[in-house]
Amino acid sequence: MQTLANIIWFLFGGLVGGLSWIAAGCIMYLTIIGIPVGNQCFKLAKLAFFPFGKEIVYEGGNVSLFINAIWIILCGWELALGYATLALSYFITIIGIPVGYQCLKLAQLSLMPFGAQVKESQ
């Protein structure tokens, strides 16, 4: 079931979301200071392409909080707004509710990606 859900997700929004993370990572790679931030963006792009069957665990400290604050100002709010808009459009239909929940999960991750670990669901 997760495979089918991931394929549907990829076709109806996952591709755009993953490409957004890749674009944000490329923007961060323009500076030497942004390279670690870009690496995290590329890791999270894989989640944005295929989110079903994965969960997000937040582990982080003051450094993650500081980087997340900068991230929200530079790129995070645009990605979160896009995912929130997608979630609202999916919640309109009953069959789209599971997809809408994935969009909300990714919207939260778009605001606080640093200190987050992606793990396979049990």
Side-chain angles (χ1 to χ4, degrees), residues 48-64:
F49 284 132
F50 303 107
F52 288 93
K54 296 181 177 87
E55 64 182 85
I56 301 166
V57 178
Y58 289 98
E59 307 164 347
N62 293 333
V63 175
S64 296

Side-chain angles (χ1 to χ4, degrees), residues 37-112:
V37 177
N39 286 338
Q40 184 72 7
C41 291
F42 293 136
K43 288 178 192 174
L44 298 175
K46 290 189 280 188
L47 174 69
F49 284 132
F50 303 107
F52 288 93
K54 296 181 177 87
E55 64 182 85
I56 301 166
V57 178
Y58 289 98
E59 307 164 347
N62 293 333
V63 175
S64 296
L65 180 65
F66 178 72
I67 295 172
N68 280 329
I70 293 170
W71 172 258
I72 289 171
I73 294 168
L74 295 177
C75 299
W77 69 272
E78 295 100 340
L79 291 169
L81 182 64
Y83 280 121
T85 303
L86 275 174
L88 288 175
S89 66
Y90 283 119
F91 280 134
I92 291 172
T93 65
I94 293 173
I95 198 165
I97 291 174
V99 178
Y101 282 122
Q102 296 300 319
C103 288
L104 290 179
K105 178 171 72 172
L106 288 167
Q108 180 184 6
L109 184 65
S110 297
L111 290 176
M112 301 181 308

